[in-house]
C-alpha cells in the first residue's frame, strides 16, 4: 500500500501531566473518509490536534507523507494539512471573501493562484452571493460553510475537522459532510470528529472509536458500531439496524 | 472582482494611508507655527529650512521641531501598539496599558525623579523609564510562562500594572519634598513641552525597534481572526508572535513614556478610527492606525498650545479627556457582543 498521507505511530499525549491519549496508531490515506467517535473526554480532540501537529506527543510520532511532523516547518505543514477547529469563530467582521482568503496565508500573498483558489472555494460552498457580507452577520449554517471554504481555499491534502456539524440543523449537517466527502473523492483525505453515529456511518468509510484515551475500534461502520461496543464504550443499550441500506443507531439507557 | 478586494497593497488600502499622511504633514507644519509666537506655514517652513529669519529658525528648530517630531513618533508608536494588541487579543478594547509596560515605565521615571537622580544625570529619567518597561516584560514572561494562554498573560499584565501603580503612589507618598512630589505629579500627566532634539534622539531608537517588531506580525493578526487554534494550524508560531508584540509594545511605548510621560487612550482610539477603511482587516490596520495615532497626538499637542489657560494644559490630560468618553461609548456600543452574545 502507498505511504499514508498522515499517520500516528503509538502516539501518547499528556495534558498537564495527565495522559489523555495513549498509544494511538492510526493511518489516513488519500481518498479516505475517517470518522472519529467516542464519549466526551475520550481524547478525540487531542487525537485530531496531534494529527494536525498542534499537540506535541509525549511518546510516539506523527508522520506527514512519511516524514516526522515535528521536523516539518509550520508553514509547509499548513499547506498539507487543513485544520478546522470546533465552533467556527470569527473575531472580526471581515467580508466573507477575505475570511476565505485567510486559508491562503500559508501559500503566499495575493497571487493569481490565490485568487483562483478563493473563488473556487466560494463557488464550491455556494457562498458567492455572500462574498462581500461581513462574516459576523451570517447564520450558523452559513458560517460553517465559510469555515469549510476557508480550509478548502488552502487546498490541503488532508482536512481535519473537529465536530464541524455541531449546532447545525439537519440540512447543513449533510451539506457540510458532503463538502468534506467531495474533498476525499477528489483525492484528499478527511478525518472528522463526530457525535452522531448514524451520520458517522453514512459519511465515513472507516470509523475509529476512542475510549478513555485509547483507540478501541478501527474499521468499517458495520464492524465497529455493534451493540456490544456501544454498551462498553458509551454505556448505552443500543440497537443497530439497517434501513434503506443505511446504518441506524437507536440508543437507550441501559436497564 | 477579486482584484478590488485586494491584498495589502491594493488601491483601496493605499487611499486611507495617503489621506492620513497628508493630514499628518499638514498638522506637522501647523505644529511648527503654533505657540506664543505664531508663524505662518511659510514662515515655519522658512525657519525649518534656514531660509527664513534667524528668530524663526530658532523657534522652529530649537523649540517646536522636537515637539512636533515627538508627537509624530509617539503617536505613531501608540497607534501601532494599539492596533497590534487588538489584533493579537482579537479584542477592540485592548490598549497598550494592558500589559503594564506604560505604568512600569512611568514608575521607573518617577523613581528617578524621587531619588533626585534627574538633577545629577540628565539621562537618568528616560533610561529608568525604559528599564521599567523592559523589567515589566521580563516579569510578565516570568510570571505567565513562555507558552501561557492569552488570559494568563492579560491577568499577569494587570497585576504588574497594579504593582507599578502602587509603587508609583509609594514614591509620590515618600517624596523627599513637595517640589519633588509636584514634579512627579506633573510628569505623570504627560507633556511635550520644552523637549529638545536630545529627547528625540533618546526615544527614536527604542520607538524604531519596537515599531519594527510590531509591523512584523500583520499576517499573524489576520490569521488570528479565526482564533488561536486555527491561526496555529495555519503555521503561525503564536508563542513567538505574543513575545514579539509584548516586547515591541514595551520598547515603543517605553521609549515614548521615557521622554513624554504617560499619554493614554491614543492607542485605544486610533485603530477604531481607521478600521472601517481597511474592512476590519487586522493585518492591514497597522499602518493606518499608526498614522491615525500620529495625527491624533499631533492635533492634541497643537490643541494644548491653543487652549487659553494659566500654564499649558498637559497633553496626557487632553488625550484622556477625549479618549475616556470614547472608551465609555465603545463599551456601551459593544456591550452585547462583549458579554459573549453573538454580534
Amino acid at each position: 500500500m502507498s505511504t499514508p498521507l498522515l499517520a500516528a505511530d503509538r502516539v501518547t499525549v499528556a495534558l498537564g501531566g495527565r495522559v489523555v491519549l495513549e498509544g494511538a496508531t492510526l493511518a489516513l490515506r488519500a481518498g479516505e473518509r475517517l470518522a472519529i467517535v467516542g464519549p466526551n473526554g475520550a481524547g478525540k480532540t487531542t487525537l485530531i490536534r496531534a494529527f494536525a501537529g498542534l499537540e506535541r506527543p509525549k511518546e510516539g510520532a506523527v508522520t506527514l507523507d512519511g516524514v516526522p511532523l515535528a521536523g516539518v516547518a509550520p508553514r509547509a505543514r499548513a499547506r498539507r494539512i487543513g485544520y478546522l477547529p470546533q465552533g467556527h469563530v470569527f473575531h472580526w467582521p471581515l467580508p466573507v471573501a477575505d475570511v476565505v482568503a485567510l486559508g491562503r496565508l500559508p501559500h503566499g500573498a495575493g497571487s493569481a493562484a490565490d485568487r483562483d483558489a478563493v473563488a473556487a472555494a466560494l463557488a464550491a460552498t455556494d457562498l458567492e452571493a455572500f462574498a462581500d457580507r461581513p462574516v459576523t452577520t451570517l447564520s450558523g449554517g452559513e458560517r460553517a460553510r465559510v469555515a469549510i471554504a476557508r480550509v478548502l481555499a488552502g487546498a490541503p491534502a488532508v482536512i481535519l475537522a473537529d465536530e464541524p456539524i455541531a449546532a447545525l440543523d439537519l440540512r447543513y449537517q449533510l451539506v457540510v459532510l458532503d463538502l468534506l466527502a467531495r474533498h476525499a473523492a477528489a483525492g484528499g483525505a478527511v478525518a472528522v470528529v463526530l457525535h452522531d453515529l448514524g451520520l458517522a456511518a453514512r459519511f465515513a468509510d472507516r470509523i475509529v472509536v476512542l475510549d478513555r484515551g485509547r483507540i478501541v475500534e478501527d474499521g468499517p461502520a458495520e464492524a465497529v458500531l455493534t451493540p456490544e461496543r456501544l454498551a462498553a464504550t458509551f454505556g448505552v443499550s443500543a440497537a443497530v439496524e439497517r434501513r434503506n441500506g443505511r446504518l441506524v443507531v437507536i440508543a437507550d439507557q441501559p436497564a | 472582482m477579486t482584484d478590488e478586494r485586494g491584498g495589502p497593497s491594493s488601491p483601496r488600502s493605499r487611499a486611507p494611508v495617503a489621506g492620513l499622511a497628508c493630514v499628518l504633514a499638514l498638522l506637522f507644519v501647523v505644529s511648527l507655527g503654533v505657540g506664543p509666537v505664531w508663524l505662518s506655514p511659510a514662515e515655519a517652513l522658512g525657519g525649518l529650512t534656514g531660509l527664513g529669519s534667524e528668530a524663526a529658525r530658532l523657534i522652529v528648530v530649537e523649540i517646536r521641531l522636537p515637539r512636533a517630531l515627538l508627537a509624530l513618533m509617539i503617536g505613531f508608536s501608540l497607534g501601532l501598539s494599539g492596533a497590534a494588541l487588538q489584533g493579537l487579543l482579537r479584542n477592540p478594547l485592548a490598549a497598550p496599558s494592558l500589559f503594564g509596560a506604560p505604568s512600569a515605565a512611568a514608575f521607573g521615571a518617577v523613581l528617578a525623579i524621587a531619588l533626585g537622580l534627574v538633577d545629577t544625570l540628565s539621562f537618568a529619567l528616560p533610561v529608568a523609564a525604559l528599564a521599567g518597561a523592559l523589567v515589566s516584560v521580563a516579569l510578565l514572561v516570568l510570571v505567565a510562562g513562555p507558552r501561557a494562554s492569552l488570559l494568563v498573560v492579560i491577568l499577569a499584565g494587570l497585576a504588574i500594572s497594579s504593582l507599578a501603580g502602587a509603587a508609583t503612589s509609594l514614591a509620590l507618598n515618600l517624596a523627599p519634598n513637595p517640589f519633588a512630589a509636584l514634579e512627579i505629579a506633573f510628569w505623570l500627566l504627560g507633556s511635550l513641552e520644552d523637549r529638545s532634539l536630545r529627547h528625540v534622539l533618546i526615544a527614536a531608537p527604542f520607538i524604531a525597534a519596537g515599531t519594527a517588531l510590531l509591523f512584523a506580525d500583520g499576517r499573524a493578526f489576520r490569521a488570528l481572526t479565526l482564533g488561536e487554534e486555527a491561526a496555529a494550524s495555519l503555521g503561525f508560531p503564536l508563542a513567538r508572535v505574543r513575545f514579539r508584540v509584548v516586547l515591541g509594545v514595551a520598547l515603543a511605548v517605553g521609549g515614548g513614556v521615557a521622554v513624554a510621560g504617560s499619554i493614554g487612550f491614543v492607542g485605544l482610539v486610533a485603530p477604531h478610527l481607521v478600521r472601517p477603511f481597511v474592512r476590519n482587516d487586522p493585518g492591514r490596520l497597522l499602518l493606518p492606525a499608526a498614522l491615525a495615532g500620529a495625527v491624533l497626538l499631533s492635533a492634541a499637542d497643537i490643541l494644548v498650545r491653543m487652549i487659553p489657560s494659566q500654564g499649558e494644559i498637559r497633553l496626557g490630560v487632553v488625550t484622556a479627556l477625549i479618549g475616556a468618553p470614547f472608551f465609555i461609548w465603545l463599551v456601551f456600543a459593544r456591550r452585547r457582543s462583549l458579554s459573549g452574545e453573538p454580534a
Side-chain angles (χ1 to χ4, degrees), chain B residues 210-299:
Chain B
T211 302
L213 276 176
L214 293 174
F215 272 122
D217 286 313
R219 284 158 53 86
F221 301 148
R222 194 173 298 155
L224 278 165
T225 300
L226 301 169
E228 296 204 342
E229 288 280 272
S233 78
L234 284 169
F236 293 94
L238 293 186
R240 256 183 277 167
V241 171
R242 260 194 301 263
F243 180 71
R244 269 198 296 267
V245 172
V246 172
L247 185 65
V249 168
L251 286 172
V253 176
V257 172
V259 295
S262 310
I263 293 166
F265 292 100
V266 173
L268 177 75
V269 174
H272 288 281
L273 299 181
V274 291
R275 193 165 276 129
F277 298 108
V278 296
R279 311 224 298 178
N280 292 299
D281 184 324
R284 271 191 280 160
L285 182 67
L286 298 179
L287 183 57
L291 289 171
V295 165
L296 282 180
L297 201 61
S298 296

Side-chain angles (χ1 to χ4, degrees), chain A residues 13-21 45-46 49 54-56 58:
Chain A
V13 176
L15 297 178
R18 202 173 66 89
V19 171
V20 287
L21 188 69
T45 295
T46 306
R49 281 176 50 91
L54 298 176
E55 210 71 76
R56 194 173 299 174
K58 189 178 159 217

Side-chain angles (χ1 to χ4, degrees), chain B residues 299-340:
Chain B
D301 190 48
I302 292 170
L303 194 65
V304 295
R305 282 179 262 172
M306 292 171 64
I307 300 170
S309 69
Q310 247 188 348
E312 202 171 281
I313 304 270
R314 295 288 164 150
L315 186 58
V317 177
V318 170
T319 60
L321 273 179
I322 298 171
F326 180 84
F327 187 59
I328 292 173
W329 170 79
L330 205 63
V331 174
F332 179 79
R334 290 175 185 261
R335 58 186 172 178
R336 277 174 63 92
S337 58
L338 286 170
S339 348

Side-chain angles (χ1 to χ4, degrees), chain B residues 62-63 66-67 70 193-201:
Chain B
E62 296 294 324
I63 301 173
R67 187 169 187 161
L70 282 176
E193 216 180 337
D194 300 329
R195 299 303 193 266
S196 67
L197 281 173
R198 193 173 58 84
H199 290 100
V200 176
L201 293 178

